[in-house]
Amino acid sequence: MSTFRLTSNSDIIGSTASFLCLVHCVATPFIFAAQAGLANQSDEHPLWWGFLDIVFLIISFFAVLWTGKYTSKKWITKALWFSWGVLAFIVLNEKLSLFPLTELAIYLPAVSLIVLHLYNRKYCADCIK
């Protein structure tokens, strides 16, 4: 029973972390624009704001790991890891400035993780007996 609860919670944690990551990505340009307009200073952001990407990525990693262990549909595991890998690549690319990517690129893997975790929660609830 406790394994089912942890698996179910991993989907909630994963979809919530992905959603918060998405909100963080959407809000960032607006916050910086407002900050620049109010302070008329450089557009540097607080150090902790940049670490949120990594925090969400770590939380999502463990949610995908746990969900992948116990899902009844193995394609979910592959899709979750693929989405997480793309998200990790985009976040690390942004931090290291390796390749020029549009800011919109991060939305697809974040939304994919949300949808996959919610799908798993709804349709794979019988995965733990």
Side-chain angles (χ1 to χ4, degrees):
M1 184 67 158
S2 66
T3 305
F4 176 74
R5 188 173 39 185
L6 286 174
T7 302
S8 180
N9 287 340
S10 71
D11 285 321
I12 292 170
I13 291 167
S15 58
T16 301
S18 298
F19 176 75
L20 291 174
C21 177
L22 186 65
V23 169
H24 169 70
C25 293
V26 170
T28 298
F30 296 109
I31 291 171
F32 292 152
Q35 178 187 8
L38 292 175
N40 200 14
Q41 296 176 357
S42 70
D43 62 344
E44 290 197 27
H45 58 278
L47 188 59
W48 62 268
W49 188 261
F51 285 127
L52 282 179
D53 296 337
I54 303 300
V55 169
F56 291 137
L57 200 58
I58 291 168
I59 293 169
S60 293
F61 173 84
F62 287 107
V64 168
L65 181 68
W66 189 260
T67 297
K69 283 183 181 180
Y70 295 104
T71 186
S72 63
K73 299 184 188 310
K74 292 304 169 191
W75 69 267
I76 288 281
T77 302
K78 292 176 183 174
L80 282 167
W81 280 118
F82 179 77
S83 296
W84 185 87
V86 172
L87 182 66
F89 172 78
I90 293 169
V91 168
L92 294 175
N93 180 62
E94 184 178 292
K95 300 291 181 207
L96 301 174
S97 300
L98 299 174
F99 305 103
L101 292 175
T102 177
E103 292 291 324
L104 298 176
I106 202 162
Y107 298 138
L108 183 61
V111 169
S112 295
L113 283 170
I114 294 167
V115 170
L116 289 166
H117 276 295
L118 293 176
Y119 177 89
N120 189 64
R121 181 166 168 73
K122 182 169 178 131
Y123 295 106
C124 305
D126 60 342
C127 61
I128 302 297
K129 300 283 185 199

